Amino acid sequence: MERESFEDKEVAALLNEHYVAIKVDREERPDIDNLYMSVCQALTGSGGWPLTVLLTPDKKPFFAGTYFPKRQMYGRMGLMEVLGQLLQKWADNPEQILEVSDDIMQQINGHLSKPQHGVLDEDVFDKAFEHYMRTFDPVYGGFGSEPKFPTPHHLLFLMAYSQMYDRREALQMAEKTLEGMYRGGMYDHVGFGFARYSTDEKWLVPHFEKMLYDNALLVMAYLEGYQLTDNRLWAEVAEHVLTYIQRDMTSPEGAFYSAEDADSEGVEGKFYLFTREDVEAALDLEDMHTYCHIYDITPEGNFEGSSIPNLIQAMSRTYAEERNLNLLGLTTQLEESREKLFAYREQRVHPFKDDKVLTSWNGLMIAAFAKAAKVMQNPAYSKAAGTAADLIWSRMRQPDGRLLARYRDGDAAFTGYLDDYAFLMWGLIELYEATGQVEYLKRALTLKDIMIEDFWDEADGGFYFSSKQGEALLSRSKEIYDGALPSGNSVAALQLGKLAAMTQDSALKAIVDKQLQVFAGTAEQYPMGYAMYLLAAMQPFQGGREIVLSGSRDDIVMQEMISAVQQAYLPGASVLIHWEGEAGEGLRELLPHIREMKPVSGQAAVYICEHFSCKEPVTTLEALREALEESV
């Protein structure tokens, strides 16, 4: 609509004479988008972007839709006709439009802030699993028909459910989806990173836009897949995505950019497509034939005459077996070819990069890097996560400590939203567990306090999306549904549950319990839409697992124990690392309840607690591994 209508002189003349045109960046103002998207869904039965809403002078909506061509075509109203007709109705009878807008807001207010309470029951996990089974694609992975979205939180739930209830089928669904997404063209096999979604069932043809949040959540899903299955490929995918993030999506200051466009030179996907001639120009003849065969680069192409590199039809292992080739040699050859193709592609005009830094999305990527630091035992990842976290803490807060949502070119703006607090809290907790630096845990607890003060609904429970400190809109919503992003309420419940276990704070635990009950009825209706909520709801049934490690920094056994815990698959568990003998404001000063959890006879010790009781401490690596297996 931007090129077709808003840059058109005729449309602009009509708008400028009779309307006040306002364009909203929904990433900077998700509260506005959330409110008026609900209006569009209520009025039309569906939503989407671009979102077009007409408001009265007091900001109340009376008309909404998504895409409008400039003129009426194919049975779809044109923007010129819509603007003209509504202008006439406003001139003839403005009172009627005002009445309509009042009625709309009455309906919306009840819908946005009144989730359905219920009683949390384990049956909801089985019900969700049955929904996933019914919609699962056993051929290519994923759920439902095209377009297919990655929705990594589905996979995080299925893996946790598989482990908790010994349901191998759930893990198989997750593995098949991880494999399908990687093999398809939605994954950038030349430069790494995932596109936003696939337009087809095979994951072949993506919408070529790359989003920071998708890649963060997918890194976490692939890492947990690796933890559960020991499939090294999943670890490599996660590492490659982080390579892309550090290379292309990290600011000189160390924060993470938001997105890369799908288009370059006005053509969607042009930057990412290859012809056989392109590959021939970049590689020698033998390497070209091998690469084209494995990655489906054909003379006719698989997308509009060109080819999207993919592994849907072949994998290097099967290619090597069919031709009796050395797999290591073939892998080395393909990596050298990829590097040459990447260098060739780098000469092209790049897609536009959205270089704004969003607190919420950075929080997710901080969590992804910190989790990678733990799982892969790579401190470079925790360093990258810490740099981003420190930048947000120093430059994206108000003087009173409250978060700001967006940073760009030295300017931070917009009062933080629930997602900013919940997602950054997630990142800080993961970062604390990766480094043992108490400062990150303190920051998470600071965010917890502000979040409860500014977002918690004392009367009915649950967190509002917008802060009471922010701009007052017509309504404050409470979102629990997981879209492309998991809901802030669900992430908040998951992370507050971990903090409640870490701090033994009964008041905080009561808030988490209330929050889970507040949304239980809503999740019961369609549990597949609330995967992150289900992960949070699992915590009480898992016993609120807490693992406390106590020892000195120079103790090799302590370091080995920390590594074992960090690499173990322990969804929902909280981890505390106490460095014995260090002066200053350490963990025991922050959390008095662990004061008795000390080394045993000078040896590093690990205390594993669940269901409000702790087992005897373990002091050897072998005993720890056995204890971790038993607690699963």
Side-chain angles (χ1 to χ4, degrees), residues 156 159 171 174-175 178 218-239 371-372 374-377 566-569:
L156 296 175
M159 288 186 280
L171 178 57
E175 286 188 278
L178 292 172
L218 283 163
V219 164
M220 289 190 268
Y222 277 95
L223 287 171
E224 293 199 4
Y226 171 60
Q227 286 178 299
L228 267 176
T229 67
D230 207 29
N231 183 343
R232 177 64 197 176
L233 177 59
W234 305 151
E236 291 175 359
V237 173
E239 290 176 313
K371 182 179 272 297
K374 293 189 294 183
V375 175
M376 306 311 300
Q377 290 295 286
Q566 288 176 336
Q567 293 176 82
Y569 180 69

Side-chain angles (χ1 to χ4, degrees), residues 507-570:
L508 181 57
K509 183 180 182 301
I511 286 176
V512 176
D513 291 342
K514 185 172 183 179
Q515 190 178 14
L516 293 175
Q517 299 299 336
V518 162
F519 297 108
T522 302
E524 177 70 25
Q525 292 184 344
Y526 179 58
M528 187 175 168
Y530 306 93
M532 192 59 70
Y533 167 86
L534 297 179
L535 277 170
M538 279 184 176
Q539 281 180 322
F541 295 105
Q542 291 168 325
R545 289 181 294 182
E546 179 185 28
I547 300 171
V548 182
L549 301 102
S550 183
S552 63
R553 285 186 187 271
D554 57 0
D555 187 333
I556 295 176
V557 175
M558 174 71 168
Q559 297 292 347
E560 290 176 337
M561 287 177 162
I562 291 172
S563 296
V565 171
Q566 288 176 336
Q567 293 176 82
Y569 180 69
L570 300 166

Side-chain angles (χ1 to χ4, degrees), residues 298-363:
T298 62
E300 63 275 11
N302 55 37
F303 177 72
E304 299 181 355
S306 296
S307 292
I308 303 168
N310 71 88
L311 293 169
I312 296 172
Q313 301 301 324
M315 290 282 277
S316 56
R317 181 178 295 277
T318 54
Y319 184 88
E321 290 173 352
E322 290 169 358
R323 289 160 177 77
N324 196 29
L325 300 173
N326 178 272
L327 179 59
L328 179 59
L330 176 61
T331 302
T332 301
Q333 176 188 352
L334 289 172
E335 175 57 19
E336 291 173 351
S337 295
R338 185 201 66 78
E339 290 175 352
K340 292 175 182 177
L341 283 169
F342 176 77
Y344 177 87
R345 194 178 77 176
E346 281 294 282
Q347 305 307 310
R348 296 174 175 175
V349 176
H350 281 243
F352 172 77
K353 195 188 308 291
D354 185 346
D355 63 357
K356 66 176 175 284
V357 173
L358 298 173
T359 298
S360 57
W361 298 6
N362 269 252

